[in-house]
Amino acid sequence: LHIGVGCGEISILQVGGVVPPETHIPRIEYLISGAPLEQISIAEPLAENGETCLSPQAWELVKDCVIEGRPLKDRMDFHLLLRMDESKYTFPTIKYATQLYDSRAENCFKLAQLNITRRYIPSAVFKQIECGTLPYVNEMRKISVIFINGSGLDVMSQDGPKQAQELMSSVQKVCYSHEGTLNKFLIDDKGMLFLLVFGLPPLVHPDDPARAVLASMELVNVFKPLKLVGRF
């Protein structure tokens, strides 16, 4: 395990909006971008097994209460974290402070507010959450999966958000036209990742493998006009 830590403002994009075949609610995906993601893409490879590397921005916030590890000769502006400076802080005091100011329970969605999140959750999952039966639906089933590793999309550029919206809506249309599920979409330092699944309830077909292959062939034509690279 090795960790990279960044700090700064992020942007959250909400993209998509195509209606899946099994519901009438548009499905929205969100992605996070910004300087901290660029920082951790540099910091994480600099840390070896068992180490934590901080970006210059993150180091400025903690340098007075930690002890620095070995210097990084190739990137002197990044810093390895050795341990907490226990002459100033101790783990029990930090733990107590985090518990004292932990407001996560207050900010959690209540069941009455569940509809707010509906467009971000697959309809089959939402139904189980709504009925309180999610822990009982675990099962083994055969599915067909499309794994897409893409590159070339810079959401921080001027046309990046528009291109991200066009890409996502096009991928959703292809996926839903074959009655599949868009299971995951993210952008990180390694590029874009799409995970499309065919055979998840309630849309299960005997020809799901064929549907996945046909969808892959159509998705190639989605990436080309946008001048993006997609590996399927």
Side-chain angles (χ1 to χ4, degrees):
L1 177 66
H2 52 122
I3 301 172
V5 181
C7 180
E9 294 187 358
I10 60 171
S11 298
I12 299 177
L13 300 181
Q14 302 181 74
V15 294
V18 178
V19 180
E22 75 275 13
T23 182
H24 62 281
I25 304 297
R27 180 71 191 278
I28 301 294
E29 303 288 337
Y30 72 93
L31 61 93
I32 300 173
S33 63
L37 274 72
E38 298 175 4
Q39 295 167 22
I40 62 175
S41 69
I42 302 173
E44 185 261 338
L46 293 173
E48 296 181 358
N49 189 31
E51 294 181 331
T52 298
C53 181
L54 282 70
S55 71
Q57 294 82 355
W59 179 254
E60 283 298 316
L61 299 177
V62 302
K63 63 181 181 181
D64 295 330
C65 56
V66 299
I67 295 176
E68 186 176 4
R70 61 178 177 83
L72 294 168
K73 297 180 180 179
D74 295 334
R75 292 301 302 258
M76 297 296 293
D77 51 335
F78 282 72
H79 304 267
L80 290 177
L81 179 64
L82 180 62
R83 66 178 185 273
M84 185 181 299
D85 188 348
E86 296 180 357
S87 65
K88 298 179 180 179
Y89 299 94
T90 62
F91 285 106
T93 57
I94 296 296
K95 181 179 179 181
Y96 175 75
T98 56
Q99 292 174 339
L100 186 64
Y101 295 102
D102 186 0
S103 60
R104 289 176 295 178
E106 301 170 8
N107 296 321
C108 283
F109 280 106
K110 308 299 187 292
L111 191 59
Q113 302 171 310
L114 193 59
N115 278 330
I116 299 174
T117 65
R118 186 167 190 170
R119 63 182 59 191
Y120 302 97
I121 304 173
S123 60
V125 177
F126 179 85
K127 195 173 297 182
Q128 301 299 335
I129 296 174
E130 193 175 32
C131 298
T133 56
L134 190 61
Y136 309 107
V137 297
N138 295 330
E139 62 177 325
M140 298 289 289
R141 65 166 57 234
K142 291 183 178 180
I143 60 173
S144 299
V145 180
I146 302 176
F147 183 93
I148 307 174
N149 189 357
S151 60
L153 177 63
D154 182 8
V155 294
M156 297 300 291
S157 65
Q158 184 175 355
D159 297 327
K162 181 180 178 181
Q163 194 177 30
Q165 168 61 25
E166 186 176 352
L167 174 64
M168 174 52 65
S169 60
S170 299
V171 171
Q172 284 182 328
K173 288 175 183 176
V174 171
C175 179
Y176 298 153
S177 68
H178 294 281
E179 297 193 342
T181 301
L182 180 55
N183 184 264
K184 182 181 293 184
F185 170 58
L186 60 88
I187 296 180
D188 58 15
D189 58 294
K190 299 176 180 62
M192 296 178 288
L193 170 65
F194 289 89
L195 202 63
L196 284 67
V197 184
F198 296 80
L200 291 179
L203 302 174
V204 181
H205 316 86
D207 62 341
D208 278 321
R211 290 170 182 261
V213 172
L214 291 172
S216 296
M217 295 172 67
E218 292 183 25
L219 287 168
V220 171
N221 296 325
V222 168
F223 279 74
K224 281 184 178 179
L226 296 174
K227 297 180 181 179
L228 300 175
V229 177
R231 292 178 290 275
F232 297 78

